[in-house]
Amino acid sequence: MTGEGDHVTDQKPDRILDSDFFRRWLTVAAAMVEREAGRLTELDSAIGDADHGSNLQRGFRSVTAELEKESPAGPGAVLVLAGRRLISTVGGASGPLYGTLLRRTGKALGDATEVTPGEFTEALRAGVAAVAQLGGAKVGDKTMLDALEPAAEALGASFSSFSAAAEAAEKGALATVPLQARKGRASYLGERSIGHQDPGATSSALLMAALAEAAEATP
Ligand code: ADP
Ligand code: MG
């Protein structure tokens, strides 16, 4: 006789994402930025001005410091707060773009105290669309969107799609190597931008890896 438990264990109920989940995402992202800052700056020294790692380090340090002081009421408020910190501390092209990503995603989540993975996916897609609108870039222009768009597409209604999103972002970042930059500072190099991985796409892949790690650490 097969016990009912056999098949119940196969069905993972969809988990709910609360403020703690989003704080964890940002904390893990900040740790990854600390670890990878040297590499991000090195990538930016090849096709930019060698500040991407230090820009994000400054921004994410400010985000974690703020989250230690403040307890935003819900997921949306956590992301809006982080987006504001990035806009006011990062500077460069990536500050307003990442700030917009988090702020717009947070606004789309509204003031719910808990959201489903599907609701988060919808919100993140709105955030990515806002980045595309602000920067005027599209997939293939060798920017952070080359990682963010495929990640947003891979995200779905289930918690398990978070790791698929991380993989899609990583693949998208690697795929920027043969591209010629059409937006941002790297575009000034014309054909000389070919053969280098885009720093912003690389940091976006980190952000998505942090999301997957936060999801795995969720009880
Ligand atoms: P800056 O280029 O001002 O020095 P950063 O070095 O911090 O800023 O960030 C560079 C990254 O920003 C690029 O690698 C690219 O991914 C991203 N970026 C630049 N311009 C745009 C844009 N218009 N749209 C989307 N992403 C962009
Ligand atoms: Mg730069």
Side-chain angles (χ1 to χ4, degrees), residues 40-41 44-45 47-53 55 92-94 185 199:
L40 294 174
T41 286
D44 196 33
S45 75
I47 57 169
D49 56 353
D51 64 357
H52 191 56
N55 281 345
S94 64
R185 215 177 269 282

Side-chain angles (χ1 to χ4, degrees), residues 6-101:
D6 290 347
H7 103 176
V8 169
T9 49
D10 287 346
Q11 295 181 337
K12 284 197 184 136
D14 243 345
R15 274 157 290 189
I16 295 294
L17 311 173
D18 59 9
S19 297
D20 279 349
F21 172 81
F22 290 94
R23 295 173 79 98
R24 202 174 318 130
W25 175 23
L26 296 167
T27 308
V28 174
M32 286 185 177
V33 163
E34 288 294 337
R35 203 178 62 208
E36 300 290 325
R39 177 164 167 258
L40 294 174
T41 286
E42 205 177 291
L43 291 173
D44 196 33
S45 75
I47 57 169
D49 56 353
D51 64 357
H52 191 56
S54 46
N55 281 345
L56 291 188
Q57 216 169 11
R58 188 166 60 250
F60 276 90
R61 280 180 186 172
S62 166
V63 168
T64 42
E66 196 72 7
L67 286 176
E68 275 165 23
K69 283 191 292 188
E70 306 255 344
S71 299
V78 170
L79 296 183
V80 167
L81 176 146
R84 284 210 193 106
R85 293 317 304 157
L86 293 182
I87 288 171
S88 57
T89 59
V90 174
S94 64
L97 291 165
Y98 275 129
T100 295
L101 175 70

Side-chain angles (χ1 to χ4, degrees), residues 151-177:
E153 208 153 300
L155 272 181
S158 82
F159 211 64
S160 55
S161 68
F162 287 27
S163 57
E167 277 170 35
E170 178 64 23
K171 223 171 120 188
L174 291 172
T176 62
V177 174

Side-chain angles (χ1 to χ4, degrees), residues 120-138:
F120 170 66
T121 295
E122 286 306 308
L124 189 81
R125 287 178 182 166
V128 172
V131 171
Q133 197 183 17
L134 177 65
K138 51 187 183 341

